[in-house]
Amino acid sequence: MASFAPPGEPTPSMRDGYSASEEKKKRRQTSWYISECGLALKLPKLPVLTAQHYFQKFYQAESFKAHDRFHVAMACLFLAAKVEESPARLGKLVATCGAVRHPKAPPLDQQSEAFAATKHEVLVKERALLYAIGFDVEVENPMLHFIERVKQLKACKALDEADEQQFSQLGINFIGDSYRTSLCLQQAPQKIASAMAFITIIYMRKLPPKSDKARLNRMFATLSISERSLNSICSEMVSLYTENARCQTLIRDLAHMGHLHPEVLRELGLAGPAPRARSPAPGELKRPRPP
């Protein structure tokens, strides 16, 4: 089993000369690539998220300089599809991932030596991946915990039935986005699920008003996440959305509520009083003090 860089310590890629921002960019771009390949392969959501988890974990032990990230990405998908009981043929996977990476290029000749070499390289990377993760292929996915959170929020009347479908879809999308970061290596899946439920509530502007203390307390009791963990996850997530026009109100609201770290506020230019797209209802964005 490979050794993993502890949180806060330089990763193998950083020790090989990559800056933290360069590594973060490669992680995000390649996680997005895995997601797009999963869609093209028509894989269910779960194996795609598992593949992204493998990818993040692999590069906590190995360097981008030593391992081609696209071959590793294909290996992660190939292994995850088998683990999650949605196997994909290696030839189809290589051809599909190649088309996603080079959409304007002619299809790969599956009889060519180059195609055979790529398939071989994916198998080599799969073995390297298994070694890096210590052959521990089981992944506890936050999506399953999120589905349970939705049921609990609905049961305690913190989530209206009319909003359930949209809430569930948005939350699962946020969970998918979280795999473009290394949150899966930093936080327990239950905490990620709760934080994504909270972010979805704020995005949909469905936080109960301050006057409805009972409903607010039920919601936060159901989410069952500390302020420290929630703030850490929110701070990591908003960095994905700085150029997304649809998420600017979400970012401002999280900043106004005090759920973003000071360094994130400075990066976003939101240090000090945060401007808002509109004035919220009285107490709408204030988390109640614990009883």
Side-chain angles (χ1 to χ4, degrees):
M1 178 177 175
S3 59
F4 294 97
E9 295 294 320
T11 63
S13 296
M14 293 170 68
R15 292 196 293 270
D16 274 342
Y18 286 91
S19 67
S21 60
E22 287 172 332
E23 180 174 5
K24 182 179 287 189
K25 184 177 180 180
K26 285 185 179 295
R27 285 178 181 264
R28 289 182 181 179
Q29 289 176 337
T30 319
S31 291
W32 179 259
Y33 171 72
I34 290 173
S35 178
E36 292 298 293
C37 290
L39 284 173
L41 286 163
K42 298 181 180 179
L43 290 175
K45 189 76 170 178
L46 192 56
V48 176
L49 297 181
T50 298
Q52 290 172 312
H53 183 102
Y54 290 161
F55 178 83
Q56 294 288 352
K57 196 170 182 180
F58 180 83
Y59 280 109
Q60 203 67 14
E62 300 291 347
S63 171
F64 280 103
K65 186 175 181 179
H67 297 273
D68 181 274
R69 59 192 173 114
F70 294 104
H71 289 156
V72 172
M74 286 188 274
C76 290
L77 272 171
F78 187 55
L79 178 60
K82 289 186 288 186
V83 169
E84 302 296 351
E85 301 181 354
S86 301
R89 289 188 299 105
L90 180 57
K92 180 180 179 181
L93 184 142
V94 169
T96 303
C97 292
V100 170
R101 185 180 177 189
H102 302 292
K104 296 182 180 180
L108 293 171
D109 179 1
Q110 298 192 25
Q111 305 304 316
S112 67
E113 291 185 5
F115 190 83
T118 301
K119 289 199 299 180
H120 174 73
E121 189 61 27
V122 171
L123 294 175
V124 169
K125 295 305 182 189
E126 183 187 30
R127 289 194 293 272
L129 170 63
L130 284 166
Y131 177 76
I133 65 177
F135 294 86
D136 182 11
V137 298
E138 297 298 322
V139 172
E140 188 178 1
N141 198 287
M143 185 172 73
L144 304 180
H145 294 285
F146 176 80
I147 292 170
E148 187 60 30
R149 287 285 184 273
V150 172
K151 294 177 182 177
Q152 294 168 343
L153 288 168
K154 185 180 173 184
C156 74
K157 307 298 183 183
L159 174 65
D160 294 331
E161 186 172 353
D163 296 323
E164 182 181 1
Q165 183 175 354
Q166 182 187 12
F167 184 92
S168 298
Q169 185 58 61
L170 284 170
I172 289 172
N173 288 344
F174 280 127
I175 288 172
D177 286 349
S178 76
Y179 279 94
R180 293 163 58 196
T181 75
S182 57
L183 275 174
C184 62
L185 307 179
Q186 303 170 26
Q187 301 283 352
Q190 298 91 335
K191 292 182 179 180
I192 294 174
S194 291
M196 296 308 116
F198 179 77
I199 289 173
T200 305
I201 289 168
I202 303 305
Y203 181 84
M204 293 178 64
R205 302 190 75 80
K206 294 294 182 179
L207 190 69
K210 188 177 180 180
S211 58
D212 195 346
K213 290 184 179 180
R215 193 179 184 196
L216 270 173
N217 288 333
R218 288 197 304 270
M219 184 193 77
F220 282 113
T222 298
L223 294 179
S224 185
I225 183 172
S226 70
E227 192 87 8
R228 180 178 181 179
S229 295
L230 181 61
N231 293 355
S232 293
I233 294 172
C234 288
S235 295
E236 187 74 28
M237 287 296 292
V238 298
S239 64
L240 298 172
Y241 306 127
T242 54
E243 297 181 5
N244 188 327
R246 292 179 297 177
C247 291
Q248 296 311 300
T249 299
L250 168 67
I251 293 173
R252 287 192 291 267
D253 287 348
L254 290 172
H256 178 65
M257 296 174 73
H259 288 300
L260 301 183
H261 290 159
E263 61 271 20
V264 175
L265 293 174
R266 287 193 293 271
E267 290 175 7
L268 297 173
L270 294 175
R276 297 188 297 275
R278 67 169 178 81
S279 298
E284 181 182 18
L285 299 177
K286 294 294 183 182
R287 179 172 181 168
R289 294 179 181 274

